[in-house]
Amino acid sequence: MGIIAGFMVPHPPMIVPEVGKGSEEIVEETTEAYEKVADMVAELRPDTIVISSPHSVMYGDYFHISPGKHAKGSFASFAAPDVIFDVDYDEELVMQISLKAAAAGVDAGTMGERDPLLDHGTMVPLYFIMKKYTDFKLVRIGLSGLPLEEHKRLGQLISQAANECERRVVYIASGDLSHRLKEDGPYGFNPAGPVYDEKIMDVMGRAAFDELLTFDGKLLGEAAECGHRSFVMMSGALDKKNLSVRKLSHQDVTGVGYGICTYLVQEEDAYVRLARLSLETNIIEHRKIDWDDVKNEIMVNYADDADIFEKTEKELSETRAGAFVSLHVGDSLRGCIGTICATKDCLADEIIENAISASTRDPRFYPVTEDELESLEYSVDVLSEAEPISDIAELDVKKYGVIVTKGMHRGLLLPNLDGVDTVEEQLAIVKQKAGLSPHEDGCEIERFCVVRHY
């Protein structure tokens, strides 16, 4: 239950044949990708589809969630009045999202419906999906002028609400890319347009969602993008989920960018499964598991993909690397222990040891109890080899972790942590962890990358 997939899709009305009347042929690549999305949704058979649309009701300081039992719409304003939609809303999920938003201090709800008709940012995705699947209810959410972080936060709350309502939910992030890609396009050309399209397709194609928050506001404005906040909201809904990602298409032939990517939620990967099994076995049975004994159990989800099986099994069994295991309950840290460099014969043994340590030896917390096991969320960070730097300009809080050493003092901080937004903050925190003053000079600084598994 909960969010089972996400899809990044555009919404050009001309892609609908009744609207395009032949002109849709120039975006055939996008149409073919859209058909694949519709097939995937039909195969997933969701209870509810959540669509965030830039063309739904929008306020500067409030997220509008469409209220009521059902809604209608058509492409009459695009000279195709016979293309009609009539969908039911998921009232229970809408209410749960609104309640969770209120409790979290996020300004979102069902008040202020200015126009109940479905917008084209919603109807274009529905046009393709409803040709193949109709047994769902809808939740339609508008964007806002609030910061990107608030869009991500609402996405996280949507995911939590879907879990609590026990819904199988597909998230559709409706949004075009830059509108300034060609001189003869509807909005003309701006050099920022191609830059944005290349960057957003790279980020979305890798599901590197945290990078969405780092896009320069000037770039977003000059590129005249349409869907960035929609994509950010979806990233929140998919946060900390193990995803299978595919970049299906990107076209700019009309002067507007159309990108399609798919994100299928998978069961937890082998690294997290190993951490969970290690911790639970230690707490329940008071023993440490052996990698060779549990290898087949951990790798069973990869049996149908020989390439992934071989790559994953080889890294866990043969690679030596430092690793951190982090435990959370909701948004609260419950334990985190790791190693800067390899201390065991293989990465699997590193994860086993650190999972146990995170639950029993983190001095900031009392040991995890058996009653807490069902509420724990896991992440495993595998560290690259650290490299020295000579200038803090070589650091990036989202991409690189940092190690600070001075004499016998040494501290480490992982990258991409909530509340750590600048290199200066990162260095101050890691110096304190090393037992140094935040302003200590003369330190050796190293950086490293991590691969994070959820």
Side-chain angles (χ1 to χ4, degrees):
M1 295 294 182
I3 304 292
I4 57 175
F7 298 91
M8 166 195 181
V9 298
H11 50 243
M14 55 89 71
I15 200 173
V16 175
E18 293 87 341
V19 175
K21 296 179 171 59
S23 64
E24 72 276 7
E25 294 177 2
I26 65 173
V27 290
E28 182 179 2
E29 180 183 336
T30 299
T31 302
E32 291 175 354
Y34 237 129
E35 296 287 355
K36 291 179 182 177
V37 167
D39 287 335
M40 294 171 74
V41 173
E43 184 175 346
L44 290 166
R45 300 188 63 80
D47 303 314
T48 303
I49 295 177
V50 174
I51 299 181
S52 54
S53 169
H55 299 284
S56 184
V57 178
M58 180 174 172
Y59 292 95
D61 57 356
Y62 175 77
F63 295 103
H64 182 264
I65 308 172
S66 295
K69 294 182 179 297
H70 64 272
K72 297 181 178 180
S74 77
F75 282 112
S77 59
F78 297 96
D82 294 334
V83 183
I84 299 171
F85 301 85
D86 190 340
V87 295
D88 291 330
Y89 283 135
D90 188 335
E91 295 180 274
E92 182 184 354
L93 183 54
V94 167
M95 177 61 70
Q96 190 64 23
I97 294 169
S98 301
L99 290 173
K100 294 195 77 63
V106 175
D107 292 321
T110 57
M111 303 296 291
E113 178 84 293
R114 294 195 300 259
D115 184 359
L117 293 177
L118 297 174
D119 63 286
H120 75 269
T122 299
M123 291 188 292
V124 170
L126 290 181
Y127 176 84
F128 288 93
I129 291 169
M130 294 181 73
K131 289 192 297 180
K132 302 179 179 182
Y133 182 69
T134 59
D135 190 19
F136 66 89
K137 291 186 177 181
L138 180 69
V139 173
R140 181 172 63 134
I141 302 180
L143 309 180
S144 79
L146 293 168
L148 294 177
E149 290 79 5
E150 288 293 282
H151 287 74
K152 179 178 180 179
R153 180 65 179 135
L154 181 56
Q156 293 170 327
L157 296 173
I158 291 168
S159 178
Q160 294 172 20
N163 287 333
E164 293 179 13
C165 289
E166 297 186 343
R167 296 290 197 275
R168 287 173 52 84
V169 174
V170 160
Y171 193 107
I172 304 289
S174 178
D176 297 336
L177 308 185
S178 172
H179 285 62
R180 293 177 175 167
L181 298 175
K182 292 182 180 295
E183 289 288 358
D184 58 354
Y187 298 89
F189 176 78
N190 187 295
V195 172
Y196 175 79
D197 267 38
E198 180 179 0
K199 186 173 182 179
I200 192 66
M201 289 306 298
D202 171 60
V203 168
M204 298 302 287
R206 292 184 288 115
F209 294 141
D210 289 319
E211 295 180 28
L212 290 171
L213 303 180
T214 68
F215 277 59
D216 181 70
K218 183 179 180 182
L219 173 66
L220 299 180
E222 291 182 350
E225 57 76 26
C226 169
H228 197 86
R229 287 166 294 176
S230 186
F231 308 150
V232 171
M233 196 182 295
M234 178 178 69
S235 79
L238 297 173
D239 191 34
K240 297 183 179 179
K241 290 179 169 54
N242 182 35
L243 301 174
S244 173
V245 184
R246 290 181 64 194
K247 181 164 59 176
L248 295 184
S249 67
H250 175 233
Q251 284 193 284
D252 61 1
V253 293
T254 68
V256 179
Y258 306 138
I260 296 183
C261 295
T262 70
Y263 310 91
L264 298 182
V265 178
Q266 307 291 304
E267 292 187 40
E268 61 188 14
D269 72 3
Y271 305 81
V272 173
R273 182 181 289 271
L274 178 60
R276 182 187 297 277
L277 182 61
S278 304
L279 187 155
E280 292 181 349
T281 301
N282 182 68
I283 290 178
I284 297 172
E285 301 180 22
H286 309 291
R287 66 180 180 88
K288 183 187 294 187
I289 63 174
D290 182 88
W291 170 235
D292 289 331
D293 292 339
V294 301
K295 185 185 305 183
N296 291 338
E297 178 182 352
I298 296 298
M299 298 297 297
V300 67
N301 288 346
Y302 300 91
D304 295 331
D305 194 322
D307 290 340
I308 295 179
F309 184 99
E310 182 179 357
K311 178 182 177 182
T312 304
E313 196 276 336
K314 184 174 182 179
E315 180 170 28
L316 286 168
S317 299
E318 301 180 18
T319 300
R320 300 186 71 240
F324 274 73
V325 175
S326 301
L327 311 174
H328 284 81
V329 176
D331 293 330
S332 300
L333 182 68
R334 186 61 182 86
C336 179
I337 293 289
T339 43
I340 295 175
C341 55
T343 64
K344 303 295 180 182
D345 291 337
C346 67
L347 177 57
D349 288 341
E350 205 81 35
I351 293 171
I352 291 169
E353 184 67 31
N354 291 338
I356 294 171
S357 295
S359 64
T360 61
R361 300 171 193 148
D362 189 328
R364 298 168 294 180
F365 304 97
Y366 57 83
V368 170
T369 65
E370 187 171 344
D371 291 340
E372 295 179 90
L373 295 182
E374 288 189 4
S375 62
L376 289 181
E377 298 176 1
Y378 296 70
S379 64
V380 176
D381 290 302
V382 179
L383 279 60
S384 70
E385 187 175 348
E387 58 180 1
I389 66 165
S390 57
D391 191 319
I392 65 170
E394 299 176 67
L395 295 176
D396 182 324
V397 294
K398 296 297 182 183
K399 184 176 181 181
Y400 296 114
V402 62
I403 300 169
V404 165
T405 305
K406 187 172 185 179
M408 299 297 292
H409 296 271
R410 198 178 200 196
L412 175 146
L413 196 67
L414 294 171
N416 196 25
L417 297 177
D418 291 339
V420 183
D421 300 316
T422 68
V423 168
E424 289 73 20
E425 290 174 329
Q426 186 183 44
L427 287 173
I429 294 170
V430 75
K431 287 177 183 178
Q432 288 178 308
K433 291 186 70 174
L436 301 169
S437 163
H439 307 291
E440 188 82 28
D441 292 327
C443 300
E444 296 178 14
I445 301 176
E446 298 171 280
R447 70 180 188 184
F448 61 90
C449 295
V450 305
V451 176
R452 181 161 292 166
H453 299 270
Y454 290 114

